[in-house]
Amino acid sequence: MAKATDSKGKTLAAAAKLFRQQGYHGTALHDILAAGGSPRGSLYFHFPGGKEEIGETALTLAGEAVRKAIAGAAETSEDAETFLIRIARSMAADLETSDFKEGCPIATTALETAAQSDVLGAATRNAFQKWEAEIKKGLERFGRPADDAEVIATAALSQLEGALLLARTYRSLEPMHRAEKAIRLLLREA
């Protein structure tokens, strides 16, 4: 997510990072304010809906940043395998750069809130659906039929999300390396 200079942007950037690291329920409003350096009054001015509104907006922005990264990977790749491996390596690099503290920007919050909050559940579903659609679009760009591209997109995203969880838990990139191998096998079999 881009660096924000305004109070609202700083709050959202801080919230997205904290939700990614410690989840929605593990992040208090005062944590968001402290990390964003925003005054308390700005919180209620910009987000009258409170923490849930911050969560929805931060998830939407984080989801869009990943969607754009997926589209960029498609634009700069020469084939479907390079495209999907580029996504996997970008995710692995982000995880390693954060010292295994930041996995998927959506998953932690999705797992803990999707069944409890219609608003946050919709935001996380929307993000994942857009990623899946963007991967499908990229695969179609490389000649995969729409039906195959849809199945591969779901399988690849599932593989990468699971590998991110394992890599973060194990504090090792080995699951991401195995996910790359699985994606290559998937593409050959499809």
Side-chain angles (χ1 to χ4, degrees), residues 29-61:
L29 284 175
H30 66 83
D31 297 329
I32 296 168
L33 288 171
S38 300
R40 190 166 198 68
S42 71
L43 181 76
Y44 300 106
F45 175 76
H46 293 300
F47 305 101
K51 185 178 175 185
E52 190 173 53
E53 184 179 351
I54 293 170
E56 177 186 26
T57 308
L59 290 166
T60 299
L61 291 172

Side-chain angles (χ1 to χ4, degrees), residues 61-131:
L61 291 172
E64 183 59 15
V66 172
R67 189 207 59 77
K68 286 179 181 178
I70 293 168
E75 291 171 12
T76 59
S77 297
E78 57 277 353
D79 57 45
E81 184 175 308
T82 304
F83 164 54
L84 293 179
I85 298 305
R86 204 167 255 158
I87 295 169
R89 289 185 179 168
S90 175
M91 290 176 163
D94 285 349
L95 182 61
E96 187 174 41
T97 298
S98 76
D99 193 29
F100 297 91
K101 292 178 182 141
E102 297 178 14
C104 172
I106 304 299
T108 305
T109 301
L111 289 170
E112 66 179 346
T113 64
Q116 298 168 345
S117 167
D118 291 338
V119 171
L120 298 176
T124 57
R125 273 190 306 280
N126 188 38
F128 283 133
Q129 288 168 345
K130 285 183 176 182
W131 298 355

